[in-house]
Amino acid sequence: MAEVICTDPALSDLNDIAEYIALENMVAAKLLVQSVFEKVKRLELLPKSGRVPPELSHLNYREVVANPCFVSTNRSLIKSIFCILWVRSEIYVSSC
């Protein structure tokens, strides 16, 4: 089993995203956070799960999706997995 380490920026970003979503829908915000942590928990048991991002195929990265977030991981030599959170940019676009 691998040790999963979520980076501080990833946790902060997830918190910011959840707070933003909670302004309109508290249930959806909770479900998103729950989904992200379930995906991260799965990485502890199955560290090679997820896809290899084509743009990072030469590095040791994998990616799992917790829509609208992408959890990217970098597996270090010491069997730790570092999690980074990416969000589709259109979530931040507001209409006039």
Side-chain angles (χ1 to χ4, degrees):
M1 183 170 8
E3 175 187 14
V4 174
I5 302 167
C6 291
T7 62
D8 288 337
L11 293 173
S12 178
D13 289 349
L14 180 59
N15 185 59
D16 291 346
I17 294 163
E19 285 180 354
Y20 177 78
I21 294 171
L23 293 173
E24 296 290 326
N25 189 335
M26 180 66 76
V27 173
K30 288 180 180 180
L31 289 173
L32 171 65
V33 172
Q34 182 180 25
S35 174
V36 169
F37 280 108
E38 284 174 1
K39 303 286 182 175
V40 169
K41 182 95 173 136
R42 185 182 76 193
L43 290 170
E44 289 179 336
L45 302 173
L46 303 167
K48 293 184 179 180
S49 64
R51 73 181 189 104
V52 175
E55 62 276 11
L56 300 174
S57 61
H58 61 288
L59 300 173
N60 199 12
Y61 277 88
R62 290 209 165 289
E63 175 176 87
V64 293
V65 178
N67 201 15
C69 301
F70 295 88
V71 179
S72 293
T73 62
N74 182 344
R75 190 162 179 194
S76 73
L77 297 175
I78 56 172
K79 296 193 179 185
S80 295
I81 298 175
F82 295 90
C83 294
I84 304 165
L85 184 71
W86 302 89
V87 180
R88 293 191 328 233
S89 60
E90 63 264 21
I91 195 169
Y92 293 112
V93 177
S94 61
S95 58
C96 296

